[in-house]
Amino acid sequence: MRPRIRTPWESIRAQLHGSFHLTEPQLKKYDEVNKEDLLKAYEMMQLSRLFENACNQAYMQGHIRGFMHLDNGQESIPAMIADTIRQGDIKHSYYREHTHALASNVSPNKIMAELFMKKDGTCQGAGGSMHIYDKEHNFQGGWALVSEQLPYAVGAARSILLDRQLYPEKFSKDDRIAVVFVGEGGAQNGRMAECLNAAAKENLPILFIVIDNGRAINTFTPDVAANNDVYLQGLHYGVPGVKVDGQNLVETVQTGRAVVDYVRHKGPAVLQIHTYRFNGHSPADPEHERGRKDEKKWARAEADPIKIFEDLAQSRGWLSAEELEAAKQRMQSVVKQSVDFATQSAFPPRTLAKDLEYPDAPSTDYNQRHVPAELAARAIDHW
């Protein structure tokens, strides 16, 4: 079992100054998180927890099938995402991605409907838990293969850079970034090194968020990783990184704001968030990790980011018990509505798989196919 780490803001501040070269005036604007933003962050944590609990219940009832991976215990991460990441930013998540979609402002109704395999889901019910996709919010889905999302996210960051280079007037004020989520186990994959190198070589606007819960599926990561400080991997390439205590919402939001601003205006970075996963790998594979039951019992009692924030918010006078309870009730209503929406939504037509896999008639001659004007206008003929 891993102990909880402590990363007081003063310590993070020093790292941001040393590794990210942020000046005192730059750092000062991250020193405080106002009440309104704290309440919004708390609401996102509650939405994430309650949504995942509803998913777990629906899975046990047979409404959700196949693989599903829950995010309980890691709620400060979607709270930070909702606080810092914008609609235009391109997001690539991994298979534990429900809360990342929620934090990206994808409709809870559509997410739940997707999990229920219904036609009103984000992918008409064809994607399921691991493949939520939403074009409007640039949420590029979850990826079932470990670390497979990394090179695609780097490609997305490069597309942002190409937009700025090819159309400088149109994108003169563009500060979009690509965001990619990866576990600390998946970050040991060779793709991480390749992607850090590519990001550094072209100074790509990409943020690598390393979700460090100490468990690579069922493997205790320290058993197989010589160095668990993934945020230091970027040093070889000149990519700065920092690690924060993900059980502390305020520190996670402060650090996230500073690092995201860095990526928007300077270049790639790594943000490692040390946290705990309360559930097993999935409902179908819940309790097979060594020492997992003891860790879960301890983490739920001592490292729950929601409980920790509630205690801190009340003791420091940021939010009252009544305000916290009202926020929780609001999010319960949102989750109930999403379950009702998914339940009432119809299943997709039986022809959906065929229509998606073979959208054109067998006789289609692709050499003679007309290119839509919209696509033709986007073609690059500079070389």
Side-chain angles (χ1 to χ4, degrees), residues 351-364 366 369:
T351 58
L352 179 62
K354 174 181 175 296
D355 294 340
L356 293 175
E357 191 71 21
Y358 305 105
D360 300 316
S363 59
T364 300
Y366 292 99
R369 193 173 187 178

Side-chain angles (χ1 to χ4, degrees), residues 24 46 48 64 82 124 131 134 156 204 251 349 355 367 375 381:
E24 180 60 28
Q46 282 289 2
S48 299
I64 299 174
Q124 303 179 68
H131 302 289
D134 189 275
L204 300 179
E251 291 170 4
D355 294 340
N367 291 319
L375 297 180
D381 59 3

